[in-house]
Amino acid sequence: MTEYGRGPGPEPWHPEDPQYGDQGWIGHETQQGQMPYGGTQQQYPQEPQYQQEPQYQQQYAQQPVQYQQPQQYQQHPQQAQHPQHHQPQHHQNPQQPMYGDQGWDTGQGQYAGVPQAVDPYAGLDPYAQQQPVAGYPGEAPDLYGTAEAYPPPQPPGRRHLATEPEEQWEADEDESSLPAGGGGDDGDEPPGSGRRSGRSKDQPKKRSGMACLIAAVVIIGVVGGGGYYGYTYLKSKFGAAEDYAGEGTGSVSIDIPKGTGLGEMGRILKAHGVVASAQAFVTAANAHPKGGAIQAGSYVMKEHMSAKAAVELMANGAGVNALDVIPGWRNVQVYEAIDKRLKLQDGTTRDIATKEFKTLGLPDWANSNPKIKDPLEGFLYPARYDLKKDATPQSLLKDMVAKANQAYGNADLKGQATKLGLQNPLQLVTVASLVQAEGRYQHDFDKISRVVYNRLKPGNTETYGLLDFDSTVNYMKGQSTLDIGSVDELRKIDDPYNTYKIKGLPAGPIGNPGPDALKSALNPEPGPWYYFVSVNENETLFAVTNAEHNRNRERYEQERKKTGQ
């Protein structure tokens, strides 16, 4: 509480309080059309204060009171500076609303001193806009009586409510329809509650028909869309996928890229008309014992195949449209296979290889020996190559050379050749090709590789630096047989690939070694062996001396007679 006795409660303000009467608010003067000039407020004559007569008090008591406020007429700020004089009693203007302990003139009421037998405004909202009253001569027009005018000024304690949106007032009306005590239905509110009088609680709220219609349409759309989505989802998850029947007809080439899963495979097959749906293909692949092992590549399929038939064809490799280069194949075999698979005239690929070998990507050390019969020998790496729709001899040969470069680069042939006492990487590839051709079985590769290196030693007194391999003679003659003729006749043939006549390695590889033969050429098994002979599939006999080797050969001849070879 301040020295003037003003506190948070409803205590009256002291006349000497600077805020007494809210002197800074000029709503009353504005309504009367008399604005102060130069900061000087126009002085009004002192207005008399009247006391209400008993007969009128009785009439007011019979009328329902909307706001229970003291019926004291407002004192003008200047009036507080002069002593009060007793004036004759007149009727108080009932239209003047009361705010706190002081009156507040809206500027719309009748002049004081005009007696009225009945209060016509009892029970109405004291702040509601009233119809304009005809003024006396010289009176300023009512500036708030037109529809486009701003609302009349609000009391000082309610000015902050002027910034609230109308939606907030409407919400307050619903909340203020009942008194705080929870009882009564007269709609009375205490003064200064900060709320407008709401509509009667019996009055129904208005609803927009268009809003209801839009809400109904939205609800129906959501429910309908959700139902359709749920139906399609359940059908895709639990319903039988669309599928064809039978083995299909016609022919279509399909390319499955590397890294493709079963789902993507099914979509590719569906796009080419092979299967009816990807889901049917995936289901059939999961049910097949080899379905998970289906590899990427090129396939020759049929149109409108059942998913089961398509999986069966791909899982067993029958529909694979690819060229498999077998380890140990010579280049002439690779050329013939390419011509056959691409349906080209015989000799087409060989002519291209002869003319264009320099443009196929060979490493710089590939042609280190000018006596090489085929520069591409040993560089058409054994693997599976997809025969795509746009495949050509040039594209296939480039793929094979590129794969050989990758394998040889990973094995570091340049560094390993020096460690093994060889002159260049090409000789290392040549050793691997000999191991691949001489060794009939993979489990013998490491020892056969050691035999090759032992015979290449300068101090070799068993073969005196000669390899004496039948495989080089077969390559020289372009044949593949066990009966190569007598050794004496072979030693007379002068050819860079005749290891019965020349010492050391042939001019170049005699085939295309696979990864196992290459590994054995790089890591020969230690041992003193100079000879070997394969008696059967499970047994290869190795010898250190020629005499021991001759005994092993006799056993080999006996095995041949038993098998009829």
Side-chain angles (χ1 to χ4, degrees), residues 43 67 86 132 194 243 265 313 325 343 346 358 413 511 559:
Q43 301 296 326
Y67 288 89
H86 181 73
D243 196 3
M265 287 184 186
L313 187 66
V325 176
K343 298 180 180 181
D346 292 345
K358 293 182 179 181
L413 294 193
E559 290 290 335

Side-chain angles (χ1 to χ4, degrees), residues 169-186:
W169 282 109
E170 294 177 1
D172 290 346
E173 291 176 3
D174 294 338
E175 296 176 1
S176 62
S177 59
L178 292 177
D185 56 358
D186 56 358

